[in-house]
Each structure stands twice: as structure tokens, then as C-alpha cells.
Amino acid sequence: GSKEARGLPAVSNGMQVVATGAIGIWERSSEYQLRVLQVAPIGVGTIAAKVEALRKRLQAEGLFEAKRKRPLSRFPRRVALVSAHGKGAEDFETTLREKSPNVTVIFFPSRVQGDGAEIDLAEAIDRASRNDVDAIAVVRGGGSFEDRYPFNTEPVVRAIARSRHPVVTAIGHTGDRHLADEVADAVFKTPTAAAEHIAASWIEVIARISSQQQHLTRAVDDARARCEHRQAEADDRLLAAMEGALSRWGQRVLVLSRDIERQNPRVLLARREMRLNGSELQLNRAGERVMLKRTNELAVRKSGLFARNPQALLERGYAIVTHKGRALRDSRETAPGERIEVQLHRGKLEAGVERVVHDE
């Protein structure tokens, strides 16, 4: 019927196809009529049948079960890329380099289509599995059903299943589910999407470190401003004290001078002059003592303020160690294998805890 015909793929004269339907008989004219419900080119139909048969056999073995899936490392540092030189591999590497340049990509080239490509792919996956990597990405940039056939073959499926590391696939063709996807630990529509997922945790932690760095910078600036304000207040108090002491001694000198002027006898004058000289000497010594005392007090306050300045601690070689956004003060707050961040006077370090020693 016309409804069935509209759903059939385009065919042309001379094309070999596999047709599925029913046969009708016209008794009057003794003619047979073929009512076609499904049509597929012979090549595609044959491949699809092989793939479906393989799918059922591998599924019976439990190769596609969810319990076999392995989680991806949250912060991968080394990723193996199995692909051919082309757009798929370029998209994966470019995206990962832009999103998370600290992740190293190790390229294992392989043919991805044509006769024998499944053997090349399986061998490349095996080589990647023997390397020290956190994940293996098997990608290609789309293509026709026939071009993508190697990803529906048993050698590739077996290689993914026996891999020592989690495997992600990105065959790059929306809507189709390949046998390689069925056995992989994670599946993505495109190589770009796979790279973005691998870089996602790094992007989050880098943003968090940047925020903490800005907070620390603001805290240091605030501490420096408070120190400078307190120092200015101490200077003002010291200056006021010195001015008050000098004013009081000046008043005494003025009083003595007036007494001398009112008493004219030479003996009294000489005596007053001696007292005046002694008073001036005492004034000078007292002024020196006050100045020395206030200078020492200022030095002590400056030293205390400087010692409490976080930036000063960093400049003297100390460091601020943080774990999960909190400053570490006790070795019991972390454990071997965990990641820590070290803030230095200039720059930061990211490190791993190898051994923890607790003080008794």
C-alpha cells in the first residue's frame, strides 16, 4: 500500500536488496504480487544480521551487564586516545587541551574503518591498557553504517571488556548504539562531549582554587591594612606623649626663669642658674628616656603586628596547607592518597599525601 511505500528507503533499478513482506495472488490473471514491508540493501542487511547475532551471543555471556561497568576517575591525569588521525581525534584533543590542559593525552593511532580495522582497533586498545593511564577513549568522527562496522565486531568488544582501565566510547553518530558502546564503561555522542566530561571535575576544582586564592588575597590585604592602621595609631599616641612631656618641662623652665628675673641678688641668681641648668639636664634626660621607651614600645608593636601578618609568614618560608578548602592543622585531618594544596609566598603546589605521622 501507499502508507508502507512512504516508509521505505529510496531504491533504484539494479540495486540488490533484502525485501520482507507478503505474497498476494490474483486468481483471474494468475499473477503474483509482492507486498513489501521492509527493504534494506543486501550489504547493510547482511551486516545488521551479523551484528544482531553477535549482540545476542555476547549478551548471553553477560558482557553488557551494568554491574561490569567501572566508574571513571574523578580527576584523571593521563588519558589514552585510540583513534585514527582525523576530525574525531582532533576534536577530543582540542577540547581537553582547552578545558583542562593539565590532563595528558597519549595517542594510540589505529585504522577505524575498512577490512581488518577491527584487528587494529583491538591491538591499539590492548596497548593502551598496558600503559599507566586513568582512562581509554575510543573515538571516531561518525560515518556511514558500513564505515562504523568495526565497532560492532567481536575483537573490539573483547578488547574493551578485558581492558585494565575504564573505557569511554564516542563513535560520533547520534541514534546508533554500537556493540562497543554496549560493553564500554561510559558512552558519549561525540568526541567533544567525552573530552568535556573528562575535564569537568578539573574545571570545578580549578574554579574553587581560584575562588580560594581571591579570598586569601583579600584576607592578606585586610590584615595589612589593619596593621598599618594600628601602627599609625601607635605613632600618634607616642608623639602626643612626647609633646605632653616636653610641654610640662617647658612650663617649669618658664616658671624658674620668671623667679630669677624677680630676685636680683647675684647669689640668688647664681643659685637659680644652677637649678635651671640642673632642670634643663633633667629635662633632656627625661626626654631621651621617654623617646627611648616609646621607640621600644613602637618596635615591639610593629614586630607583633608583622608576626601576625600571613604574608610575612609566607615570606619567611612558611606555607599554608589546605585540604578540601580547609587549612590543615592536624595530620589526622588527611590520609595517604588524598590531594592537598600548598600556598607559598609565590605560587601554589598540588601534592599527594604519601605517609601520615601522628604526634603522640
Side-chain angles (χ1 to χ4, degrees):
S2 59
K3 292 183 179 179
E4 290 84 357
R6 284 198 296 269
L8 298 178
V11 295
S12 59
N13 291 332
M15 179 182 294
Q16 293 184 342
V17 298
V18 175
T20 304
I23 297 177
I25 302 175
W26 292 87
E27 295 180 356
R28 292 182 179 181
S29 57
S30 299
E31 293 179 352
Y32 289 90
Q33 181 186 44
L34 176 63
R35 183 184 177 192
V36 178
L37 300 177
Q38 293 181 351
V39 174
I42 285 182
V44 173
T46 303
I47 293 175
K50 290 173 59 178
V51 171
E52 188 59 29
L54 179 58
R55 182 193 304 274
K56 291 180 180 179
R57 180 159 57 85
L58 297 178
Q59 191 168 20
E61 294 182 20
L63 219 59
F64 302 148
E65 293 183 3
K67 65 182 180 181
R68 296 188 67 259
K69 307 296 182 181
R70 296 165 291 187
L72 300 181
S73 173
R74 189 180 177 194
F75 296 105
R77 292 174 297 175
R78 291 162 57 87
V79 176
L81 173 60
V82 176
S83 181
H85 293 283
K87 189 176 185 305
E90 291 175 1
D91 288 348
F92 182 88
E93 291 186 288
T94 300
T95 302
L96 201 55
R97 185 166 54 250
E98 291 176 352
K99 301 288 186 180
S100 184
N102 56 308
V103 177
T104 301
V105 177
I106 305 174
F107 188 44
F108 293 87
S110 169
R111 289 190 304 139
V112 295
Q113 68 184 60
D115 293 339
E118 64 273 16
I119 304 302
D120 285 358
L121 280 167
E123 291 178 349
I125 294 170
D126 287 339
R127 290 198 307 272
S129 178
R130 291 192 292 269
N131 275 261
D132 181 20
V133 295
D134 299 299
I136 300 173
V138 181
V139 308
R140 72 158 289 157
S144 67
F145 179 78
E146 294 91 335
D147 290 342
R148 290 178 280 112
Y149 174 67
F151 296 93
N152 281 312
T153 59
E154 187 168 3
V156 173
V157 173
R158 297 289 186 189
I160 294 175
R162 64 175 172 262
S163 170
R164 293 174 51 240
H165 313 293
V167 177
V168 302
T169 55
I171 312 305
H173 195 277
T174 304
D176 286 351
R177 186 79 172 178
H178 310 84
L179 297 184
D181 299 331
E182 299 284 354
V183 75
D185 299 289
V187 183
F188 300 93
K189 293 181 178 180
T190 64
T192 297
E196 288 176 345
H197 179 84
I198 291 172
S201 294
W202 284 114
I203 294 172
E204 178 184 352
V205 76
I206 289 172
R208 189 182 306 166
I209 291 173
S210 177
S211 176
Q212 292 177 351
Q213 183 177 9
Q214 292 176 3
H215 177 74
L216 179 61
T217 300
R218 286 194 299 269
V220 170
D221 291 341
D222 292 343
R224 183 184 294 111
R226 289 194 297 270
C227 290
E228 292 174 352
H229 179 69
R230 291 173 183 172
Q231 179 178 339
E233 289 181 340
D235 291 343
D236 292 341
R237 288 194 297 269
L238 177 59
L239 181 59
M242 294 177 61
E243 289 177 347
L246 292 174
S247 177
R248 289 191 298 272
W249 284 107
Q251 291 294 330
R252 292 186 62 182
V253 171
L254 181 60
V255 171
L256 291 175
S257 299
R258 289 174 179 174
D259 289 344
I260 292 174
E261 291 178 357
R262 287 194 300 265
Q263 300 177 16
N264 292 327
R266 293 181 178 178
V267 176
L268 182 59
L269 179 59
R271 188 182 299 118
R272 294 295 186 184
E273 287 178 351
M274 291 177 63
R275 291 176 60 184
L276 178 60
N277 292 336
S279 297
E280 290 179 350
L281 179 60
Q282 291 177 3
L283 175 61
N284 291 335
R285 290 177 178 174
E288 291 174 356
R289 288 196 298 272
V290 171
M291 180 66 77
L292 179 60
K293 180 180 178 182
R294 298 302 184 187
T295 301
N296 289 337
E297 290 178 354
L298 179 60
V300 170
R301 292 183 180 183
K302 285 183 177 180
S303 176
L305 292 174
F306 185 77
R308 290 194 293 270
N309 186 349
Q311 189 63 34
L313 291 175
L314 297 180
E315 290 176 356
R316 296 205 303 271
Y318 290 91
I320 299 174
V321 180
T322 60
H323 172 56
K324 297 181 178 179
R326 297 188 301 105
L328 289 179
R329 291 182 291 273
D330 191 330
S331 61
R332 294 178 178 84
E333 296 178 5
T334 185
E338 292 188 344
R339 305 296 300 173
I340 59 174
E341 295 79 34
V342 183
Q343 174 68 44
L344 304 176
H345 173 49
R346 291 188 178 90
K348 287 187 176 183
L349 300 176
E350 294 181 2
V353 177
E354 293 185 357
R355 189 167 67 94
V356 175
V357 179
H358 302 308
D359 292 335
E360 295 298 329

